[in-house]
Amino acid sequence: MNLQKTALIFLLAAIGLNTARADERHFTYTYEPEVLPKGGLELEQWVTLRTQRTKNVDQANYHKWEIREELEYGVTDRYSVSLYLNTSSESFRESTTGTDVSKFRFDGISIENRYMV
């Protein structure tokens, strides 16, 4: 009976994986010269962790998460437009007082236009 349940779980997981797709990205911090085909739509999430600030700036146990959500649309086969939602979360302990500080912030939106020459 346990074998049947396990097989069923793996089968359902495999069916669920079929609906999601991830493309290969060769360079993480630079843009590749590719645009989406006409009518293509893509959602991409960017998460960056900045950590290990020293006690010299009165902030111990420092963590800052920068989160960007990108929605990209292919207008033509050579032109795509993207909309970004930018947020960040920061937490640290003030070294002198021992007070824990935590902040979440909406950093704004960004728009990107890309045309492949």
Side-chain angles (χ1 to χ4, degrees):
M1 189 66 172
N2 287 336
L3 181 61
Q4 291 175 343
K5 288 181 183 179
T6 305
L8 180 62
I9 290 170
F10 279 112
L11 178 64
L12 292 174
I15 291 171
L17 290 176
N18 191 23
T19 59
R21 194 179 109 236
D23 294 327
E24 185 175 337
R25 194 174 178 121
H26 298 287
F27 304 102
T28 308
Y29 290 102
T30 59
Y31 284 111
E32 297 175 357
E34 297 173 356
V35 294
L36 287 178
K38 182 178 181 177
L41 189 64
E42 179 180 76
L43 176 68
E44 188 171 345
Q45 297 176 322
W46 304 59
V47 179
T48 304
L49 173 63
R50 301 185 190 283
T51 187
Q52 301 302 322
R53 186 175 280 183
T54 65
K55 293 181 181 180
N56 296 339
V57 291
D58 193 31
Q59 294 176 344
N61 198 24
Y62 179 84
H63 294 2
K64 181 175 183 180
W65 294 91
E66 295 173 341
I67 305 161
R68 297 183 82 190
E69 307 288 335
E70 175 195 12
L71 182 63
E72 183 177 357
Y73 177 71
V75 179
T76 68
D77 286 335
R78 297 180 145 248
Y79 172 65
S80 66
V81 63
S82 299
L83 175 70
Y84 292 89
L85 295 176
N86 307 306
T87 57
S88 61
S89 175
E90 185 177 37
S91 64
F92 58 88
R93 175 172 289 135
E94 291 181 352
S95 299
T96 54
T97 62
T99 306
D100 289 330
V101 177
S102 181
K103 306 176 211 173
F104 181 82
R105 190 171 94 176
F106 177 70
D107 296 320
I109 61 171
S110 306
I111 296 175
E112 175 184 82
N113 294 290
R114 262 195 296 181
Y115 183 79
M116 184 184 298
V117 180

